[in-house]
Amino acid sequence: MASLRRLAWMCRNLAKQHVDDPDVPAAPDGADGYAEWVQIALILFRVELEKSLRETEDYLNEMPGVLATFGLDKAPHYSSFCRWEQEYRMRELCRLLRASAEQAGWSDEGAIDASGFQRDQTSYHYRDRANYSFQSMKTTILIDVNSLAIKDVHYTTQKSWDGHIGMQVFRRNAEDLRVLSADANYSWSDFREECRFESTRPVIKHREQTPLQKAHNARMNDDDYNQRWMSETGFSQLKEDDGEKLRSRSWHGQFRELTRKCIVHNLTQAAS
């Protein structure tokens, strides 16, 4: 587990690598304006605090060492955190996620798995307006079986089949995968052929509906397939400390919230 100050340094460095001008002062316009890299670093660091917006401002003001890491004397107003989290889009967060996975160590051996995160914070009024009723959000991650670095994520509120989701995630990351593991929920001949076409070895269990499929599973190296369980370890780390419940009310806010969690997870793995 990384110390808060060390994690703050990692958030700062990742943010500076992402922006076009990393040498801009933290608050070039005084208290009314903050550099882009500070905004990114602070919304990532807030994930580790797991506090409300108002509490985040108070906690940061009680941590002068952490504020000094970001080049600040005083924490931004809590409303700034809310605005930054809403403005920063998924495309940019996905770029940060891939960069953080490289820092944590990507070995080209990945696993795909899915789990649900509770959406209890979403108001019933919003659910009616948005026309959805699912209590959990299905989250699929592509995780390195050696470093537990999360390279890609997929979210859905629909009853999507794992095979189609797995194909979509794989196509986005095919060039970075040498071995891909998955359970029988992802058993699809088209998915396996796509992996082989991209020179990726599919370690995907068959559904065992025929004797031939049972024979394929029996020949599968247990050591290779058992590495798939590392994805469940990754999910357990994301959900620890009541992290299974999402604070955001809108579905797009929940997507961004979970992606930020994955980025901080990678930074924590890199620091450990």
Side-chain angles (χ1 to χ4, degrees), residues 13-117:
N13 293 338
L14 180 66
K16 279 180 170 287
Q17 293 170 14
H18 181 74
V19 299
D20 294 330
D21 193 353
D23 297 325
V24 174
D29 301 324
D32 296 329
Y34 295 89
E36 183 183 3
W37 66 265
V38 172
Q39 298 176 23
I40 297 171
L42 285 175
I43 63 175
L44 293 179
F45 187 75
R46 192 175 94 83
V47 173
E48 184 67 16
L49 295 181
E50 293 186 337
K51 302 297 180 183
S52 67
L53 294 171
R54 293 177 184 269
E55 290 174 333
T56 297
E57 180 184 355
D58 293 338
Y59 269 72
L60 285 174
N61 282 326
E62 296 299 324
M63 293 186 282
V66 170
L67 286 177
T69 301
F70 298 123
L72 299 172
D73 298 323
K74 182 181 179 182
H77 193 264
Y78 70 88
S79 61
S80 298
F81 289 94
C82 180
R83 185 176 70 255
W84 297 341
E85 291 177 357
Q86 291 176 352
E87 291 176 352
Y88 216 71
R89 300 303 179 187
M90 273 296 299
R91 179 181 299 177
E92 300 300 317
L93 289 175
C94 288
R95 288 177 55 196
L96 285 168
L97 179 62
R98 290 190 291 270
S100 65
E102 295 297 333
Q103 289 189 15
W106 186 257
S107 67
D108 299 337
E109 296 183 15
I112 288 180
D113 204 1
S115 185
F117 284 79

Side-chain angles (χ1 to χ4, degrees), residues 222-238:
D222 288 339
D223 291 338
D224 290 341
Y225 179 73
N226 287 340
Q227 291 284 63
R228 187 196 64 81
W229 294 103
M230 297 301 289
S231 59
E232 296 188 3
T233 303
F235 272 122
S236 66
Q237 292 179 354
L238 286 175

Side-chain angles (χ1 to χ4, degrees), residues 18-218:
H18 181 74
V19 299
D20 294 330
D21 193 353
D23 297 325
V24 174
D29 301 324
D32 296 329
Y34 295 89
E36 183 183 3
W37 66 265
V38 172
Q39 298 176 23
I40 297 171
L42 285 175
I43 63 175
L44 293 179
F45 187 75
R46 192 175 94 83
V47 173
E48 184 67 16
L49 295 181
E50 293 186 337
K51 302 297 180 183
S52 67
L53 294 171
R54 293 177 184 269
E55 290 174 333
T56 297
E57 180 184 355
D58 293 338
Y59 269 72
L60 285 174
N61 282 326
E62 296 299 324
M63 293 186 282
V66 170
L67 286 177
T69 301
F70 298 123
L72 299 172
D73 298 323
K74 182 181 179 182
H77 193 264
Y78 70 88
S79 61
S80 298
F81 289 94
C82 180
R83 185 176 70 255
W84 297 341
E85 291 177 357
Q86 291 176 352
E87 291 176 352
Y88 216 71
R89 300 303 179 187
M90 273 296 299
R91 179 181 299 177
E92 300 300 317
L93 289 175
C94 288
R95 288 177 55 196
L96 285 168
L97 179 62
R98 290 190 291 270
S100 65
E102 295 297 333
Q103 289 189 15
W106 186 257
S107 67
D108 299 337
E109 296 183 15
I112 288 180
D113 204 1
S115 185
F117 284 79
Q118 297 302 314
R119 315 176 75 186
D120 295 340
Q121 295 290 337
T122 307
S123 67
Y124 288 101
H125 177 63
Y126 180 84
R127 292 178 189 177
D128 291 339
R129 288 192 295 113
N131 193 28
Y132 71 77
S133 59
F134 290 102
Q135 298 296 317
S136 62
M137 182 168 63
K138 184 176 181 179
T139 304
T140 303
I141 62 173
L142 173 64
I143 189 169
D144 188 278
V145 298
N146 297 303
S147 66
L148 292 183
I150 299 175
K151 187 70 172 289
D152 200 359
V153 287
H154 179 281
Y155 310 111
T156 181
T157 59
Q158 309 296 324
K159 293 183 179 180
S160 302
W161 181 43
D162 287 336
H164 291 159
I165 295 175
M167 178 82 85
Q168 182 177 344
V169 172
F170 171 74
R171 284 174 172 170
R172 292 200 297 256
N173 302 274
E175 62 182 12
D176 297 321
L177 284 168
R178 181 169 52 86
V179 179
L180 180 64
S181 304
D183 61 24
N185 290 327
Y186 297 87
S187 179
W188 184 24
S189 60
D190 290 355
F191 189 10
R192 291 189 177 87
E193 289 302 318
E194 183 79 10
C195 290
R196 296 187 181 102
F197 179 78
E198 297 292 344
S199 301
T200 300
R201 178 191 172 202
V203 185
I204 304 173
K205 283 284 188 179
H206 292 263
R207 291 186 178 276
E208 295 192 352
Q209 296 173 336
T210 66
L212 181 59
Q213 292 172 333
K214 293 181 180 179
H216 281 310
N217 286 347

Side-chain angles (χ1 to χ4, degrees), residues 236-271:
S236 66
Q237 292 179 354
L238 286 175
K239 293 182 178 183
E240 66 183 3
D241 298 327
D242 201 31
E244 184 174 354
K245 294 183 179 180
L246 302 173
R247 294 178 180 271
S248 302
R249 290 179 176 270
S250 63
W251 59 268
H252 48 83
Q254 292 166 353
F255 290 0
R256 293 196 290 264
E257 178 183 349
L258 263 176
T259 305
R260 292 193 298 271
K261 282 180 177 285
C262 293
I263 294 170
V264 174
H265 162 84
N266 288 345
L267 296 179
T268 303
Q269 292 300 121

